[in-house]
Amino acid sequence: MDFMVILQFIVLLGGIYLGVKLGGMGVGYAGGLGVVVLAILGMKVDMKDIPIDVILIIASVISAITALQVAGGLDYLVQVASKILRKNPKQINFLAPIVTYLLTILAGTGHTAFSMIPVIVEVAKTQNIKPSAPLALSVVSSQVAITASPISAAFVAMSGLCEKLGVSYPKLLFICISTTFVAMLITAFIVNKFYDLDLSKDPVYKERLSKGLVAEIKAEEYKEPKPYAK
């Protein structure tokens, strides 16, 4: 294998490691630093091929999301979403994916879905619904929503590519939001209509229940958000 290829691979792994160590906003900037180092090492880079606008927008998005998280805004959004699910428990199979979808649209990252998992499980069990159904729907919808979030790095990069093809930013946003949201609702309807979601009939659950392995359902407790989170 060519020495330069090995060296570039080492720089790639180094950038990933540095990003993980820094966390938050550092992830994006560590990646940018890695690209600069690769260019210095001799990778062919033509200035006209570099999407400067897209890079700057991605940097702005990363900074905004980090500020949102530090201020407690992300925790506030999760609390609001939790209250919505608890007020309408019977509609968990529709509301859970809608909530995680909207959280990703607003926050620009699918990681918000992880915060909703305990609430979804709690609400589903209280309604005798297999938690696997709303959980699967929620996780998938949160990831699909990344392609429709106007502040996600993925959407910004995609808009930079599509603009050259004559697809404007607003048009692309309309297409992505409408198609992903409708697809999510159709999937939720199919799961809700054609799958047996009765938790009490599940053999694995019944076995675990008989052995006393099923923990008591407890409501998730949340700390009061910071005064400036909202």
Side-chain angles (χ1 to χ4, degrees):
M1 186 181 289
D2 186 77
F3 173 74
M4 285 304 295
V5 174
I6 297 174
L7 186 59
Q8 289 166 4
F9 186 66
I10 292 172
V11 172
L12 170 66
L13 293 178
I16 294 172
Y17 175 77
L18 180 62
V20 171
K21 291 286 285 183
L22 292 173
M25 177 163 64
V27 176
Y29 291 124
L33 178 63
V35 173
V36 171
V37 173
L38 288 173
I40 293 172
L41 289 175
M43 282 192 72
K44 293 181 180 179
V45 180
D46 194 335
M47 282 298 293
K48 69 179 182 180
D49 296 330
I50 300 176
I52 301 297
D53 291 345
V54 174
I55 292 171
L56 292 175
I57 293 171
I58 290 174
S60 303
V61 167
I62 293 170
S63 303
I65 293 171
T66 304
L68 174 71
Q69 190 167 9
V70 171
L74 211 53
D75 296 330
Y76 174 75
L77 286 176
V78 169
Q79 285 196 29
V80 171
S82 301
K83 290 176 182 177
I84 292 172
L85 291 181
R86 288 196 175 100
K87 284 182 179 179
N88 305 275
K90 293 186 183 299
Q91 304 301 324
I92 184 70
N93 285 331
F94 289 99
L95 284 179
I98 290 174
V99 161
T100 55
Y101 180 91
L102 293 176
L103 279 174
T104 301
I105 290 284
L106 294 171
T109 172
H111 294 306
T112 50
F114 298 137
S115 305
M116 296 305 304
I117 287 175
V119 182
I120 293 170
V121 172
E122 172 205 326
V123 174
K125 283 186 174 180
T126 57
Q127 296 301 309
N128 194 37
I129 295 172
K130 291 180 183 177
S132 56
L135 281 176
L137 289 166
S138 301
V139 172
V140 172
S141 66
S142 71
Q143 298 308 302
V144 169
I146 291 172
T147 63
S149 173
I151 59 168
S152 72
F155 183 84
V156 171
M158 186 165 57
S159 67
L161 295 171
C162 291
E163 199 166 4
K164 298 174 184 177
L165 303 174
V167 182
S168 64
Y169 185 93
K171 186 183 290 184
L172 181 65
L173 189 62
F174 174 77
I175 292 170
C176 289
I177 290 178
S178 59
T179 52
T180 54
F181 189 77
V182 170
M184 174 194 66
L185 291 179
I186 292 172
T187 306
F189 173 78
I190 292 171
V191 170
N192 199 57
K193 190 76 174 176
F194 300 104
Y195 285 80
D196 184 9
L197 302 176
D198 192 335
L199 182 61
S200 62
K201 295 179 181 178
D202 187 271
V204 176
Y205 179 76
K206 288 167 70 175
E207 182 185 350
R208 289 177 61 83
L209 192 63
S210 63
K211 293 179 179 179
L213 298 175
V214 178
E216 183 184 351
I217 302 170
K218 294 182 179 179
E220 189 78 10
E221 294 182 2
Y222 291 99
K223 296 178 181 177
E224 279 298 313
K226 298 172 184 177
Y228 44 80
K230 187 175 180 179

